[in-house]
Amino acid sequence: MTSQRKRTVILISGRGSNMAALIDAAADPAFPAEIVGVISDKADAAGLGIAASRGIATKVVTRADHASKDAHDAAIHSALATFGAEIVALAGYMRLLTAGFVEKWQGRMINIHPALLPSFKGLDTHQRALDAGIRVHGCTVHFVTAAMDDGPIIAQAAVPVLIDDDEPTLSARVLKAEHRLYPLALRLFAEGKVRMEGNRTAFSGFADTVGQDEIAAPNPAREEIDLEQLARITP
Ligand code: GRF
């Protein structure tokens, strides 16, 4: 089993709470991905200490140490190769990757975004969601393509936007969903149940709605109950 686990490297820039959720999930030897390293583009990323305390190898590759964006991405690519990465998981990596780098890892690189894509690509998703007055918000795990926050969607989780929410309360609710969703999505990817095919995600090994709660929450098998719940909190 151990030898079949997919060697996964996480790229971070900061706090690293999603990284920690992935590391914790992969601490189970039955999890199909093994976290073999964490790379940060920021030397002071808090996530580096968390990874080290969990016994995960870390490497800092800063933009300032490289002459160009291409050279920076090339250094990250070679760090990934040194780790023997089979999967790259972006978790709060705050730098746009070059098209050349993305092409090398396309179909093997995933990201978590704090909104229900294709809505609210980019930054400040929670404040923009509040400003737009939407009643349902959430997070998305998707394959990374050259266009920002645009690759094929693997899994999404929705949370309600409550009437008196502000940015801190809404982002905390979404973050909690992120910490559940990302390990589920990585597991599905590592065990071969999802793969990127052109500009779509192909799914296999899902019998019917049973099991699909892994890729969409609220669970589609309980859609009526969940919609009733949502209706109760949505004015
Ligand atoms: C998360 O909200 C993630 O969705 C976004 O950046 C944030 C990173 O937070 N891409 P953390 O570093 O995982 O705590």
Side-chain angles (χ1 to χ4, degrees):
M1 177 69 199
T2 308
S3 62
Q4 292 162 0
R5 301 177 78 199
K6 292 271 190 278
R7 296 179 65 83
T8 301
V9 174
I10 305 172
L11 263 59
I12 63 166
S13 297
R15 183 174 57 181
S17 69
N18 278 288
M19 173 211 73
L22 295 180
I23 291 173
D24 288 349
D28 177 353
F31 194 80
E34 179 188 5
I35 310 303
V36 294
V38 169
I39 298 173
S40 173
D41 68 320
K42 301 272 183 234
D44 61 353
L48 287 168
I50 301 171
S53 73
R54 308 274 219 280
I56 306 289
T58 62
K59 185 160 177 63
V60 175
V61 184
T62 67
R63 173 69 179 86
D65 286 339
H66 296 86
S68 67
K69 210 168 158 38
D70 281 337
H72 184 220
D73 279 4
I76 291 173
H77 179 73
S78 82
L80 288 169
T82 304
F83 278 127
E86 297 171 278
I87 292 176
V88 179
L90 306 183
Y93 184 70
M94 296 307 286
R95 195 164 275 284
L96 272 183
L97 293 160
T98 55
F101 177 91
V102 171
E103 203 177 305
K104 288 197 193 96
W105 290 95
Q106 195 147 291
R108 296 184 290 160
M109 182 158 60
I110 59 178
N111 178 46
I112 186 154
H113 181 72
L116 291 173
L117 291 172
S119 294
F120 306 114
K121 296 174 180 178
L123 298 174
D124 296 324
T125 55
H126 307 306
Q127 190 55 55
R128 286 159 60 210
L130 289 166
D131 293 346
I134 58 170
R135 302 262 60 95
V136 178
H137 186 39
C139 52
T140 303
V141 177
H142 64 96
F143 286 107
V144 177
T145 56
M148 185 186 63
D149 300 329
D150 196 53
I153 290 168
I154 298 170
Q156 296 188 300
V159 303
V161 181
L162 302 184
I163 297 159
D164 54 2
D165 266 337
D166 54 15
E167 206 275 342
T169 59
L170 183 56
S171 64
R173 191 174 309 117
V174 173
L175 193 64
K176 225 168 135 186
E178 292 184 44
H179 295 163
R180 289 199 310 269
L181 189 71
Y182 211 179
L184 287 173
L186 175 61
R187 179 166 66 69
L188 293 174
F189 181 37
E191 67 192 9
K193 283 186 169 177
V194 299
R195 63 188 185 284
M196 185 169 153
E197 268 186 17
N199 59 1
R200 299 283 297 176
T201 297
F203 296 88
S204 51
F206 292 90
D208 46 35
T209 52
V210 177
Q212 289 197 30
D213 51 336
E214 292 168 316
I215 50 168
N219 181 349
R222 296 197 314 265
E223 90 187 273
E224 285 170 27
I225 297 166
D226 285 323
L227 287 178
E228 270 172 28
Q229 276 171 354
L230 271 179
R232 272 200 291 279
I233 55 167
T234 304

